[in-house]
Amino acid sequence: MFFHNFKYTLKYLFKSRILIFWTYAFPIILGFLFYLAFSDIEKNEQLDIIDIAIVKEAAGEQRENSEDEASGNSEILLNAFEALSDENSEDQLFHTVYVSEKEAKGLLEKGKITGYLLAFEKTPKVMVKENGINETIFRQAVSEILQTAKLTAVLTEKEAGRQLAAAAGAAGGAGAGQPDWNAVAEKVLGDIQEEQANIRDISGGNLSYTMIEYYTLIAMTCLYCATIGMYAVNCILANMSRKGMRISVGPVKKGRLVLSSLCASYVVQLLGLALLFLFTIFILKVDYGPNMPLVILLALVGSFAGLSMGIAAGALIKANENTKIGIIIAVTMLGCFLSGMMGITMKYVIDSKVPVLNKINPAGMITDGLYSLYYYDTFHRYWFNIISLLIFSALMIGISFFALKRQKYKSL
Amino acid sequence: MKNIIEVQNLSKTYKQLKAVDDLSFEVREGEILGLLGPNGSGKSTTINCILSLLEFDQGHIRIFGQEMTPDAYTLKKQIGVVFQDVAVFEELTVYDNIDYFCGLYIEDKKTRKDYVRDAIALTGLEEFVKFYPKQLSGGLLRRLNIACGIAHRPKLIFLDEPTVAVDPQSRNNILDGIRVLREKGATIVYTTHYMEEVEQLCDRIIILDKGRVIAAGTNEELKELTDIEEKVTVEVDGIQQPQLDRIKALANVKEVTNSKNVINIIYGEGENNFEKLLEFLGREKIRYHKIYSERPTLNDVFLELTGKELRD
Ligand SMILES: Nc1ncnc2c1ncn2[C@@H]1O[C@H](COP(=O)(O)OP(=O)(O)O)[C@@H](O)[C@H]1O
Ligand SMILES: [Mg+2]
């Protein structure tokens, strides 16, 4: 019976035009549109050097005052921007002028610069007028540099601590004074070598701010698994469909039936996902980074989260199938929009202003997981997203459980 | 005769509306039981309660002598249901639909193949096995709906208004099919609001109104309930009031009405009423071009018991 239902579920899912459109065709079409749009942008933008301004000190403030406050951040920032603005470098990304805050404001108003950086602030601030690609690159550069700076500080502290402890051990507990700063610096430099590459990535043609769009595309496809799962669940529940009434009077355990249908749904989903990966990798030449197995794992877990969303929609929303498909698509699109489908700026804004939103948004989790795989060499953020997705799935299945188990209804 | 279904004091309310009200009846082995009632009288609700799909306020339901519950899989194996609304997969062909639903009951592939083929033959869908439901006419779709419900050769079959909105050809096919199923030994519960169907098909009839049994019995038994023996209709070229009065005065005549030279005469009792009327018309030299006699219908029974018409 399990296999009988599995086989026919596969059959009707594959034959359902609306489901196949949303889970197979739509992501590929959208991916292709992204490709057309971005290949153009990337060509043009590569030639563009972005005009920015940097404000080194606050108006009216004495230099010494700001010096010790903000030194850590601003030093690294200023150095990094100097490098990125080097006119002799092939990788030049910015054209930078150093002005007062008032002048910077004026330049921005007149549209002479894309934005300016308040480097003296404790957390350096980026001021822009519009939200375009140049603005995004500017922001992204600042955020990457700060991230690296933070990492450097942490690593330095750790390494210094380690050396002190080692020295103390060697001296038999007798007060070891200073760590060997040279050794520390060497170690830290080695450690952050790869992080540094990120900053270089930003400056080079390597920066693919379009990557995020493809990541949201994967997220969207994963979550569209909800339409398939919803439909399969709907067909079994007596209070959701006429077919469900017919199946419910049959001599089969509902749990087994649901499980068998969900397995079939997942298989249909994985095929769609495979298709999308093949299409984006071989035709659109999208680069998912060096960690393909982890990318695939994330897509598998993401699809499971989508499936669980579909179970909830199937078991809990009392509406017809097309309305439910509409709801799933709307929710997924909103989630993808918030995680950067229409431009990374959105992700940037949400992550910095309302971080909780993308922490509960499954599209955000998938996008961020892929993003962190590409940009960071540590996997904490990746695993955090995987675990978040699993918790999300468990929650969705949990709230649907009793509705799924129900056998007799108050009305049909 | 064994009771296949026993329903005792079944009541079911939807929010405020009492859809089934203290209903008791039984279904006997091998019979076709008709549940007759106007739309909204609680037929579908009753069936869904019997099948353990709906929660009900009170009552007991036993099938094959056993308490019916959602987990009574051995009972469920022997039951086939054709719901009022068509319930098939749009994405599967006629054959696949029947095979899918049959497969929930019959695991063995070879057996199932025979069963499915028989169901297709019974409903006359041979030419349409590769069609998708969308491509079928209303009547054929209903036949597919039936095939999906009975392919596993159940001993007890529920059919909830299987002929609603069906062309006459499909209707005949469906009614014939139901007779065949009974001949093969199935017990059948058949609901409808068409009195002609239950009169033609059913061994016993339960008339429902507002969720209550208002009468039960065979066709003949129910008709005894009215004090109408015979209805005669005469279409005349012309008639005068005194002649009408004299008809009224004939033996056993209960009521005479005349509208546009169509005269309806209702007899309460007696025999040879028709013959006597013919004599009378000859004597009075009343010319008529049509005359016929009818037995009372279930509509007359319903009218008598509830004061309203069964037809909608
Ligand atoms: N799901 C429901 N919710 C509320 N009222 C219902 C529901 N289903 C049926 N009813 C009401 O219960 C009564 C009986 O309905 P039903 O059993 O469908 O009658 P029938 O099958 O004889 O036409 C009707 O008045 C109908 O409006
Ligand atoms: Mg009904």
Side-chain angles (χ1 to χ4, degrees):
Chain A
M1 198 285 303
F2 188 92
F3 186 71
H4 173 77
N5 180 71
F6 180 84
K7 184 183 94 181
Y8 273 111
T9 307
L10 279 186
K11 211 164 181 175
Y12 73 67
L13 287 176
F14 275 125
K15 285 267 175 61
S16 167
R17 280 201 206 127
I18 180 160
L19 296 182
I20 292 301
F21 172 78
W22 285 111
T23 54
Y24 281 43
F26 185 69
I28 286 182
I29 293 169
L30 201 58
F32 192 59
L33 291 179
F34 282 163
Y35 177 73
L36 292 182
F38 300 145
S39 58
D40 241 22
I41 291 172
E42 283 197 327
K43 257 179 248 144
N44 297 340
E45 293 298 318
Q46 222 124 58
L47 305 173
D48 258 9
I49 287 173
I50 304 167
D51 287 304
I52 56 161
I54 292 182
V55 182
K56 285 187 179 174
E57 51 201 88
E61 245 179 86
Q62 290 303 305
R63 199 186 171 88
E64 293 113 73
N65 282 352
S66 50
E67 200 55 21
D68 20 87
E69 276 276 327
S71 58
N73 285 337
S74 65
E75 276 305 305
I76 292 168
L77 261 183
L78 292 177
N79 287 342
F81 269 97
E82 211 164 287
L84 292 175
S85 310
D86 182 0
E87 274 167 41
N88 301 320
S89 160
E90 252 183 56
D91 292 342
Q92 184 189 6
L93 190 58
F94 299 107
H95 177 258
T96 309
V97 291
Y98 298 90
V99 292
S100 74
E101 190 170 355
K102 204 169 143 209
E103 285 170 293
K105 228 179 235 167
L107 287 171
L108 185 62
E109 278 307 311
K110 279 186 234 144
K112 295 261 198 246
I113 54 172
T114 296
Y116 58 91
L117 173 69
L118 299 177
F120 59 85
E121 298 264 3
K122 193 158 186 192
T123 13
K125 253 194 216 138
V126 172
M127 310 298 284
V128 293
K129 214 168 76 180
E130 286 155 24
N131 272 329
I133 285 175
N134 285 352
E135 285 80 357
T136 303
I137 295 173
F138 183 26
R139 273 192 172 136
Q140 194 63 22
V142 173
S143 119
E144 291 291 346
I145 293 162
L146 289 176
Q147 209 117 34
T148 312
K150 215 190 270 170
L151 192 72
T152 313
V154 172
L155 288 176
T156 306
E157 206 168 293
K158 227 201 270 159
E159 184 58 23
R162 205 184 61 76
Q163 289 224 1
L164 272 179
Q178 287 281 315
D180 177 356
W181 285 116
N182 277 338
V184 171
E186 214 164 279
K187 177 79 173 71
V188 169
L189 268 179
D191 281 354
I192 63 172
Q193 203 75 60
E194 292 180 17
E195 282 294 322
Q196 286 280 347
N198 288 336
I199 299 176
R200 256 177 266 125
D201 268 352
I202 293 167
S203 59
N206 238 343
L207 165 75
S208 202
Y209 43 86
T210 60
M211 282 307 293
I212 199 83
E213 264 83 10
Y214 291 111
Y215 295 160
T216 58
L217 196 66
I218 300 287
M220 182 190 83
T221 310
C222 288
L223 296 183
Y224 274 174
C225 182
T227 56
I228 306 175
M230 177 281 294
Y231 190 66
V233 167
N234 240 30
C235 288
I236 294 172
L237 299 184
N239 61 333
M240 290 300 171
S241 69
R242 301 293 164 205
K243 286 166 278 195
M245 284 172 75
R246 172 162 265 155
I247 290 172
S248 299
V249 297
V252 284
K253 288 213 169 78
K254 198 151 103 184
R256 273 179 70 191
L257 214 55
V258 170
L259 202 64
S260 144
S261 286
L262 289 178
C263 287
S265 309
Y266 199 58
V267 167
V268 173
Q269 163 72 6
L270 294 191
L271 258 137
L273 209 54
L275 220 63
L276 180 69
F277 271 117
L278 291 178
F279 180 74
T280 51
I281 292 172
F282 291 108
I283 309 220
L284 305 189
K285 311 278 184 220
V286 173
D287 174 15
Y288 289 98
N291 255 315
M292 207 51 202
L294 288 183
V295 169
I296 289 169
L297 175 69
L298 186 61
L300 292 179
V301 175
S303 293
F304 186 68
L307 191 70
S308 70
M309 215 164 91
I311 296 172
L316 301 176
I317 303 175
K318 185 90 185 163
N320 73 30
E321 281 149 11
N322 287 337
T323 312
K324 290 190 192 187
I325 290 178
I327 293 172
I328 289 168
I329 286 166
V331 168
T332 302
M333 282 315 231
L334 179 69
C336 291
F337 174 68
L338 292 179
S339 48
M341 179 168 260
M342 311 302 162
I344 193 173
T345 320
M346 194 46 147
K347 176 174 167 56
Y348 185 87
V349 169
I350 299 286
D351 282 349
S352 56
K353 297 272 156 60
V354 241
V356 67
L357 207 55
N358 273 342
K359 294 270 185 300
I360 56 168
N361 168 12
M365 299 171 197
I366 300 168
T367 309
D368 196 66
L370 291 168
Y371 176 86
S372 65
L373 267 186
Y374 190 83
Y375 280 108
Y376 303 100
D377 287 304
T378 53
F379 294 120
H380 293 110
R381 196 153 148 187
Y382 173 83
W383 291 112
F384 177 81
N385 282 305
I386 291 270
I387 288 168
S388 303
L389 282 167
L390 290 174
I391 292 173
F392 175 85
S393 310
L395 234 98
M396 285 287 143
I397 294 170
I399 58 172
S400 321
F401 187 73
F402 291 100
L404 277 179
K405 258 195 82 147
R406 200 179 175 102
Q407 289 178 306
K408 282 173 123 181
Y409 300 90
K410 286 204 161 55
S411 91
L412 290 170
Chain B
M1 236 185 292
K2 245 187 1 194
N3 283 341
I4 298 289
I5 305 178
E6 285 165 0
V7 176
Q8 282 169 4
N9 309 103
L10 180 70
S11 291
K12 162 76 188 167
T13 28
Y14 293 113
K15 296 201 177 101
Q16 275 101 43
L17 186 115
K18 194 140 208 170
V20 175
D21 189 0
D22 200 27
L23 201 65
S24 298
F25 65 90
E26 72 288 324
V27 182
R28 297 172 196 158
E29 186 168 23
E31 73 175 351
I32 301 181
L33 176 81
L35 283 180
L36 177 70
N39 280 325
S41 55
K43 304 182 296 289
S44 298
T45 304
T46 303
I47 289 190
N48 291 336
C49 287
I50 293 176
L51 292 170
S52 254
L53 286 174
L54 280 173
E55 287 175 354
F56 42 85
D57 317 340
Q58 60 156 55
H60 286 285
I61 286 153
R62 301 176 75 78
I63 300 183
F64 301 119
Q66 203 183 319
E67 188 86 18
M68 179 64 178
T69 65
D71 296 322
Y73 297 125
T74 41
L75 290 188
K76 284 177 151 189
K77 247 194 159 78
Q78 307 173 63
I79 300 175
V81 189
V82 178
F83 288 103
Q84 181 170 352
D85 300 304
V86 174
V88 295
F89 285 95
E90 292 295 328
E91 303 87 356
L92 297 181
T93 60
V94 165
Y95 187 93
D96 283 350
N97 263 298
I98 302 171
D99 188 50
Y100 173 71
F101 288 111
C102 188
L104 300 178
Y105 298 80
I106 309 290
E107 297 254 4
D108 182 61
K109 268 194 187 159
K110 251 207 194 119
T111 318
R112 195 162 76 224
K113 207 167 168 190
D114 290 344
Y115 280 27
V116 170
R117 203 194 44 222
D118 284 358
I120 289 170
L122 182 80
T123 46
L125 288 169
E126 293 95 336
E127 288 163 45
F128 307 100
V129 287
K130 292 229 169 75
F131 281 48
Y132 287 91
K134 252 202 299 288
Q135 301 166 297
L136 299 178
S137 69
L140 289 171
L141 200 58
R142 291 250 155 211
R143 280 147 72 172
L144 169 61
N145 198 38
I146 293 172
C148 291
I150 54 92
H152 57 286
R153 299 191 185 167
K155 281 202 203 132
L156 169 63
I157 302 171
F158 293 86
L159 294 128
D160 194 358
E161 309 226 21
T163 58
V164 170
V166 154
D167 56 285
Q169 193 197 340
S170 281
R171 173 182 295 227
N172 287 335
N173 170 291
I174 290 169
L175 296 182
D176 288 345
I178 292 168
R179 286 194 193 95
V180 171
L181 290 170
R182 196 260 307 267
E183 272 157 35
K184 287 184 177 164
T187 304
I188 292 164
V189 179
Y190 185 93
T191 85
T192 182
H193 64 275
Y194 297 124
M195 55 178 182
E196 300 84 359
E197 285 183 358
V198 285
E199 286 189 35
Q200 284 172 33
L201 191 71
C202 299
D203 304 308
R204 235 158 37 87
I205 299 159
I206 291 172
I207 303 181
L208 290 181
D209 187 42
K210 294 182 183 151
R212 272 190 297 249
V213 177
I214 57 167
T218 62
N219 196 8
E220 286 306 312
E221 282 166 357
L222 288 173
K223 285 178 183 171
E224 306 265 294
L225 295 173
T226 69
D227 39 16
I228 298 173
E229 174 61 30
E230 191 173 4
K231 296 196 291 184
V232 180
T233 308
V234 195
E235 293 178 17
V236 296
D237 295 337
I239 193 164
Q240 283 141 13
Q241 191 57 41
Q243 292 174 312
L244 278 177
D245 291 340
R246 267 179 299 221
I247 295 179
K248 210 170 232 165
L250 289 172
N252 299 332
V253 171
K254 252 185 84 178
E255 209 181 310
V256 179
T257 54
N258 175 20
S259 80
K260 292 180 192 147
N261 288 334
V262 177
I263 303 163
N264 280 300
I265 306 159
I266 294 178
Y267 290 90
E269 55 197 341
E271 283 178 3
N272 299 328
N273 291 326
F274 193 61
E275 199 185 331
K276 283 172 196 155
L277 181 67
L278 287 177
E279 274 174 30
F280 173 82
L281 294 174
R283 243 186 294 134
E284 294 276 333
K285 298 206 167 56
I286 298 171
R287 290 165 57 88
Y288 55 87
H289 49 268
K290 232 177 223 171
I291 181 163
Y292 53 92
S293 166
E294 291 170 293
R295 299 278 292 135
T297 63
L298 289 174
N299 188 49
D300 297 314
V301 178
F302 195 79
L303 186 66
E304 178 118 0
L305 293 172
T306 66
K308 62 185 184 198
E309 299 260 340
L310 182 60
R311 307 185 174 92
D312 44 9

